[in-house]
Amino acid sequence: MPTKVSKTVQARPKVKAKSAKGKGASRKTSKFTPTRLKLLTPVPSDIDIAQAGKLKPILQLAEEIGLKPGELELFGSYKAKIHLEVRARLARRPNGKYIDVTAITPTPLGEGKTTTTVGLSQALGAHLGQRVFTCIRQPSQGPTFGIKGGAAGGGYSQIIPMEDFNLHLTGDIHAITAAHNLMAAAIDARIMHERAQPDDEKLFNAFCPRDKNGQRHFAESHRRRMRRLGFSVDDPDQLTPEQKRALFRLEIDPASLTWNRVIDVNDRMLRKIQIGLGDEEIGNERFTGYDITVASEIMAILALTTSLADMRERLGRMVFGTNVRGDAVTAEDLGVAGALTVLMKDAIMPNLMQTLEGTPALVHAGPFANIAHGNSSIVADQIALKLADYVVTESGFGADIGMEKFMDIKCRYSGLIPDVVVLVATIRALKMHGGGPRVVAGRPLDKTYTAENLELLEKGMPNMVRHIHNIKRFGVPVIVAVNSFATDTNTEIELVRKYAIEAGAEGAYKCTHWMHGGKGALELAEAVMAAAKKPKDFKFLYSLDLPIKEKIEAIARFYGADGVDYSPEAEAKVELYTRLGFDKLPINMAKTHLSFTDKPEVKGAPTGFRLPIRDIRASIGAGFLYPLVGAMRTMPGLPTRPVFFDVDLDLETGKVLGLF
């Protein structure tokens, strides 16, 4: 349990909301009204706090932040989607300040990054009178029902309604599941039908049948494929035999396929499956598997796209394999990209929710941070930055994973530059990096983590120091937020502050937002406001013009590695992707989040290691290559006692029970 808030924080006078006159006039809206918290001790469960929270009607919240009713798609009384057209109306407004929240290398328990993101937002908005938006990812139902539980924050720093946030929300993840599996079905159907129809003329007749007037018509996907192949014909009957074969026969190599099915459940038994076993599919058997939905490239595209037109192009560029000649085959070639866009047309709109203290939140997209880029959507940030003085977003896992990808991938595609990075640290994580006993989710913490131990804590400081140095390489100020627990001592927190400042951080601040909401993050919020005014010298870690290997090696050095070792498969992919013209894309390292190395058990800030790359895969629609550092699972499994054992429904009140 986090410790009590300091007297200096408790005694701080409430800052009045700034006037809408002068410089702030461009953001003039109806008066923002914070939602008052009723703090209880001991702190109740997350779901009890969330269900006791007072919800503003979503139309009231929208009016307070300057949105018009016609710019919303309502999903009940307390959540809504925001139309992207709002960006055009607000285009002349200057952007607010852009804050990214990341963390040191975490324990398996997590270090409270989302809770800190929400607590900081509540401090800025409900206590310091700033217009603020929280922008975070939607969680997968896999971890929610597995071992991790929900991801709406915790204690008195949460997004509500918490049940909606952690479950279906507005159906975005289901839309991704449907779109991804439609493409999977289209791939196998195309292979089967091409095998069954060796005659090119009959295949042409199937794809361009005559209508009732005897006319043939190209689909939009046919026209796009023709442009890619380098010819243009208006009338299908004018196609030569060679053009018909090139246009309609994809000749997909089944051995090259990289497109699995997806489902938003932790189902380890689906990691490897055999398909095509039906009586009508004889001869089309093959092995494939399932990934969890949030690992889909379509999820990564949702997070990185900037418009419907951009999403349509990105979906069309998705590569799922090669043909028998080794050329890339795309969703556009398959003819399915338009249908995928239709399935995703509503999912592209960010979801408007609120924090426990009534500040607005945009919840959108949910790519994993170890195998994808781990950040919420660009479109949500773009909208929020026009409506707010401060936008607080969050990168998945530690700064070596989510924050590096935030900078080198998300910021490249958005054109947005962060003003401050907040690095979340906990005493327990630093002690773990100092050599403390193993931390296992679901098991009680060893007493080492609940008793003062300055020697162990000091041994763990190099992990935080390396993260601070790495963040500063991007030319952005960094502040350390010590997510404090009841067993942390002031001496321990002072030791963290000393090392943080010596490493170049603007400061380190004890935060008790879990217990006190925004009031417990006031010092952090004031430090963020001060740091956001400082000059920046933003730069990426690497140039896109570098060869694939040099980009990978730049990131490996960022981790502290001496070098990189490539498997024969990885070497072949470097050659293939360079030949196909994919070598100018950014790199999304798929690596464990529990260590700077490829080995989760190696803690601290190791040096003298080499990074093994066992394979490299391509998400061309999303716009990155992802090297696999060691063994990476794209489908989690359920533990012996999953969280879903505690989830139920109160049949009298209709309330969800057991989420946390």
Side-chain angles (χ1 to χ4, degrees), residues 477-554:
V478 55
I479 296 171
V480 173
V482 184
N483 185 24
S484 183
F485 293 80
T487 54
D488 300 342
T489 68
N490 288 334
T491 306
E492 289 175 324
I493 291 171
E494 284 304 315
L495 187 62
V496 175
R497 181 176 289 115
K498 172 180 176 293
Y499 272 87
I501 293 173
E502 287 177 356
E506 302 296 317
Y509 299 89
K510 175 180 176 180
C511 300
T512 61
H513 44 273
W514 183 84
M515 178 179 279
H516 300 103
K519 186 170 66 173
L522 276 170
E523 290 181 312
L524 174 66
E526 290 176 334
V528 165
M529 291 173 65
K533 297 175 183 177
K534 294 195 171 185
K536 300 179 295 296
D537 182 25
F538 182 79
K539 48 189 170 294
F540 296 114
L541 191 61
Y542 53 81
S543 166
L544 293 184
D545 291 330
L546 291 175
I548 293 172
K549 281 190 174 183
E550 290 189 28
K551 286 183 279 198
I552 291 172
E553 288 154 14

Side-chain angles (χ1 to χ4, degrees), residues 290-310:
Y290 271 79
D291 299 327
I292 197 160
T293 298
V294 288
S296 168
E297 182 176 355
I298 297 176
M299 174 62 87
I301 286 173
L302 178 65
L304 291 171
T305 194
T306 54
S307 66
L308 265 175
D310 177 65

Side-chain angles (χ1 to χ4, degrees), residues 67-74 80-88 346 348-350 383:
L67 290 171
K68 299 177 180 180
E71 293 169 336
L72 303 175
E73 292 287 335
L74 299 180
K81 281 188 167 293
I82 301 178
H83 289 284
L84 301 192
E85 288 76 11
V86 70
R87 293 177 302 178
D346 295 326
I348 197 174
M349 295 184 285
I383 292 171

Side-chain angles (χ1 to χ4, degrees), residues 25-91:
S26 62
R27 301 183 195 277
K28 185 176 181 180
T29 61
S30 64
K31 184 179 179 181
F32 170 75
T33 306
T35 302
R36 188 179 299 275
L37 289 177
K38 183 179 180 181
L39 303 176
L40 300 178
T41 304
V43 177
S45 69
D46 288 351
I47 194 166
D48 287 342
I49 292 172
Q51 290 178 342
K54 184 179 179 182
L55 283 158
K56 294 179 184 179
I58 203 68
L59 286 173
Q60 176 189 336
L61 180 68
E63 183 181 5
E64 288 180 352
I65 61 180
L67 290 171
K68 299 177 180 180
E71 293 169 336
L72 303 175
E73 292 287 335
L74 299 180
F75 282 75
S77 300
Y78 303 111
K79 57 184 184 289
K81 281 188 167 293
I82 301 178
H83 289 284
L84 301 192
E85 288 76 11
V86 70
R87 293 177 302 178
R89 177 173 68 83
L90 303 175

